[in-house]
Amino acid sequence: MNLLFATSGVYPLIKTGGLADVAASLPRALLKLNIDVKIVLPAYASVLAQTEKLDVKTLSTISVLGREILLQQTRLPGTRVKVILVNIPEFSERIGNPYCGPDGSDWPDNHWRFFWFARAIETIAINQAGLDWPVDIVHCNDWQTGLIPALLSEHQTAPACVFTIHNLAYRGLFSHQAFAELNLPESMWHHENLEFYGQMSFMKGGLSYSQKITTVSPSYANEIQTPEFGNGLDGLMRYRQNDLHGILNGIDMEEWNPNADEHLLHKFNRRSLIGKQENKLELQTQLGLDVNAKIPLLGFVGRLVDQKGLDLILAQMSLLLSKNCQLVFLGSGFQHYETALKNIAAQHPHKMAVTIGYNETLAHRIEAACDLFLMPSLFEPCGLNQLYSLRYGSLPIVHAVGGLADTVFECPINQPDNKANGFVFHSATAIELHHAICRALEAYQQPDFWKKLQENAMSRDSSWDKSALEYSQIYLDLMK
Ligand code: ADP
Ligand code: GLC
């Protein structure tokens, strides 16, 4: 089976969030199932800047609507996975974030950029790109790839599309003017196709035209069929419920392995947690916190956006700071969250440390050093950070939504079962979050109970094996 996996990001070449982690690890798991998978990615300037390390070769030049587009190929570093790079100047000559400029607003020509990306993929998918590689299935991811199923629907014979929703909150919305510029068939401007309340939605293209839709957890698959989580697309999700599957994300168990993690100063595992404590002492020292193994350390790593529940965290912060605990934040995003967190940390330098920016090493070190991991997201399609923290024995405190509800479980204090691995609250309020943190801090004082929760957490199998099989079954069904 030849599978073309279309994504706007893949770790370690280019990453803004969890999509890049999934795009790196799922294809590797599919290769193990004997699926010949090739990733197709925009040739961003930052990717091409790594060419010396990467060994990029030219595949072909294709002509799309009179425009010449260069296709190149490299391999995902350290793997056998091939990556086709779609090289157009709108990607290759623009430095910075894939989706937005330095001021945080979207690149004004995003509709064009991801239109050309989709057109190039259309050409590969119908085997007109000179690659001599007939594609059986195109697997699309999020709005950036939403036009691909729409374009392929115009062909008599074309491979089937699977479209994965990683986050329905980003709908890829553009004006009618943008739709007109792209010169797409007029029939696509329809509420059952690309049109969404007077705008064009790339996401809706993926949802309307693909043969199967998946999303990244079973709970999120249910949630997006409701108005509360559907972002206006819940009607369409209900309409397509028979084609919609919730498949839980896995993680790269090698990249995120506390016993072999090269970012860590001290390795550890389920049976020997001394290294975890040493990492905690190192991090406390590095960040200027009071150095004391006994003080519970709470961590947060993530995009500083509404989705991640920062309003809840901030609203109960003064209560939390009155407790005997420490807090470590790493993230970047909305200015008001960055400023608020930095201001609080400045007032409590021995209790709270905030690092603004993107830092892979620090992310690993926080996962390893913390006792508890904060993830009170308002919604969370899957979430990878709680999976990383489980593997690193840092018990997650989560709001019971999406993938968080599917992976983190709580039990009454001192009555452990074989499932309990964290702390869960059910309504998105600051006080509920605070109560969950208090339960966690109480549990921390019960060493045997804590140990059992950590054991449950660290022995969770978060590998891709099971989920990759589910994807392969969907591909096979479509090929019948
Ligand atoms: P989302 O995709 O919504 O951002 P996930 O939990 O699925 O959330 O994935 C987030 C990924 O991005 C994780 O790998 C996390 O470690 C990483 N990440 C987020 N912010 C940062 C940061 N500031 N520095 C390093 N890694 C980060
Ligand atoms: C999105 C979601 C996150 C998910 C990730 C990978 O960015 O916000 O919950 O884990 O995609 O699927």
Side-chain angles (χ1 to χ4, degrees):
M1 186 194 307
N2 292 344
L3 178 88
L4 189 61
F5 190 90
T7 178
S8 59
V10 56
Y11 177 81
L13 300 179
I14 175 100
K15 167 166 166 179
T16 59
L19 167 64
D21 289 3
V22 172
S25 47
L26 172 58
R28 288 172 68 188
L30 294 171
L31 265 190
K32 282 203 240 158
L33 298 176
N34 281 329
I35 296 176
D36 185 10
V37 42
K38 291 184 185 172
I39 295 172
V40 55
L41 178 80
Y44 299 108
S46 58
V47 172
L48 294 176
Q50 308 166 46
T51 37
E52 272 175 28
K53 279 197 308 219
L54 286 178
D55 185 21
V56 178
K57 69 171 191 196
T58 295
L59 284 179
S60 66
T61 302
I62 55 175
S63 172
V64 182
L65 303 174
R67 186 176 188 193
E68 307 266 277
I69 297 180
L70 175 66
L71 299 180
Q72 294 161 293
Q73 182 171 291
T74 184
R75 271 178 208 271
L76 202 58
T79 77
R80 292 190 292 129
V81 183
K82 291 180 181 146
V83 183
I84 300 174
L85 301 169
V86 175
N87 189 327
I88 58 165
E90 290 89 333
F91 292 118
S92 62
E93 291 175 9
R94 196 170 301 176
I95 292 164
N97 184 286
Y99 319 123
C100 51
D103 66 349
S105 54
D106 291 345
W107 295 116
D109 57 350
N110 270 349
H111 59 303
W112 277 116
R113 298 168 76 228
F114 290 102
F115 167 81
W116 288 117
F117 183 51
R119 282 287 185 199
I121 292 168
E122 175 193 17
T123 310
I124 300 171
I126 57 170
N127 207 10
Q128 298 291 309
L131 306 188
D132 191 21
W133 189 69
V135 174
D136 295 305
I137 302 284
V138 184
H139 188 150
C140 303
N141 294 280
D142 269 356
W143 72 262
Q144 295 85 348
T145 60
L147 281 189
I148 300 164
L151 296 175
L152 287 175
S153 76
E154 296 284 302
H155 295 269
Q156 289 270 312
T157 50
C161 290
V162 176
F163 185 87
T164 297
I165 304 166
H166 294 266
N167 195 336
L168 198 57
Y170 300 96
R171 292 164 300 189
L173 295 179
F174 302 96
S175 64
H176 179 261
Q177 166 67 28
F179 174 79
E181 282 174 23
L182 300 182
N183 205 18
L184 291 164
E186 206 44 53
S187 61
M188 289 188 183
W189 188 262
H190 187 274
H191 69 272
E192 287 178 358
N193 301 329
L194 292 180
E195 192 268 343
F196 178 76
Y197 297 105
Q199 289 183 289
M200 163 172 63
S201 163
F202 276 26
M203 178 65 99
K204 199 169 169 185
L207 303 178
S208 306
Y209 287 99
S210 55
Q211 281 68 31
K212 288 279 180 196
I213 303 168
T214 72
T215 190
V216 291
S217 68
S219 287
Y220 194 60
N222 291 328
E223 289 164 0
I224 54 180
Q225 297 178 48
T226 67
E228 192 186 353
F229 294 97
N231 296 284
L233 290 160
D234 44 292
L236 177 53
M237 299 318 314
R238 286 193 296 279
Y239 177 68
R240 297 222 53 194
Q241 59 183 293
N242 292 333
D243 297 318
L244 171 65
H245 304 260
I247 304 178
L248 200 62
N249 282 337
I251 63 172
D252 184 331
M253 298 285 275
E254 287 161 32
E255 183 76 25
W256 293 91
N257 174 2
N259 216 11
D261 186 333
E262 42 186 58
H263 297 286
L264 302 188
L265 299 167
H266 308 278
K267 319 279 186 250
F268 61 96
N269 60 50
R270 181 150 54 109
R271 276 170 291 278
S272 166
L273 286 162
I274 301 159
K276 181 166 176 69
Q277 198 181 90
E278 287 169 343
N279 284 312
K280 177 173 172 179
L281 297 174
E282 295 273 3
L283 191 72
Q284 287 172 325
T285 310
Q286 181 194 335
L287 298 176
L289 301 171
D290 288 334
V291 180
N292 180 341
K294 293 216 163 72
I295 303 177
L297 178 62
L298 282 78
F300 176 100
V301 179
R303 296 179 293 119
L304 301 177
V305 297
D306 301 1
Q307 174 190 345
K308 300 296 174 183
L310 286 146
D311 289 320
L312 305 188
I313 295 179
L314 289 170
Q316 56 82 59
M317 192 60 104
S318 47
L319 273 177
L320 182 54
L321 284 165
S322 69
K323 304 262 171 204
N324 181 34
C325 66
Q326 294 176 340
L327 296 156
V328 179
F329 286 85
L330 166 64
S332 63
F334 290 145
Q335 183 80 50
H336 63 281
Y337 290 134
E338 295 183 356
T339 311
L341 289 172
K342 276 195 294 196
N343 286 345
I344 303 170
Q347 285 159 21
H348 304 269
H350 303 293
K351 269 198 111 156
M352 173 159 159
V354 174
T355 308
I356 301 299
Y358 186 88
N359 186 329
E360 198 70 34
T361 296
L362 187 56
H364 283 247
R365 289 186 179 175
I366 291 175
E367 295 284 4
C370 284
D371 301 293
L372 289 157
F373 194 86
L374 274 179
M375 217 161 152
S377 309
L378 304 182
F379 66 94
E380 195 61 78
C382 178
L384 298 174
N385 273 320
Q386 86 279 12
L387 300 179
Y388 301 147
S389 56
L390 288 170
R391 186 139 161 84
Y392 283 59
S394 309
L395 304 183
I397 300 173
V398 305
H399 177 213
V401 282
L404 299 174
D406 293 342
T407 55
V408 182
F409 310 98
E410 182 169 352
C411 68
I413 204 150
N414 280 329
Q415 298 173 38
D417 51 31
N418 288 331
K419 216 173 152 191
N421 56 12
F423 305 90
V424 183
F425 62 101
H426 293 268
S427 75
T429 61
I431 195 70
E432 284 288 308
L433 166 62
H434 187 71
H435 287 154
I437 296 175
C438 290
R439 294 196 299 279
L441 295 177
E442 199 188 328
Y444 186 74
Q445 302 308 327
Q446 315 289 329
D448 290 339
F449 180 54
W450 191 266
K451 197 160 162 259
K452 175 65 180 154
L453 297 187
Q454 268 187 328
E455 260 172 34
N456 287 348
M458 296 182 81
S459 53
R460 180 178 201 278
D461 178 6
S462 295
S463 72
W464 268 106
D465 298 349
K466 186 167 163 282
S467 298
L469 262 180
E470 289 182 52
Y471 279 109
S472 72
Q473 198 51 56
I474 290 179
Y475 306 147
L476 283 172
D477 287 348
L478 283 175
M479 283 174 65
K480 272 181 200 149

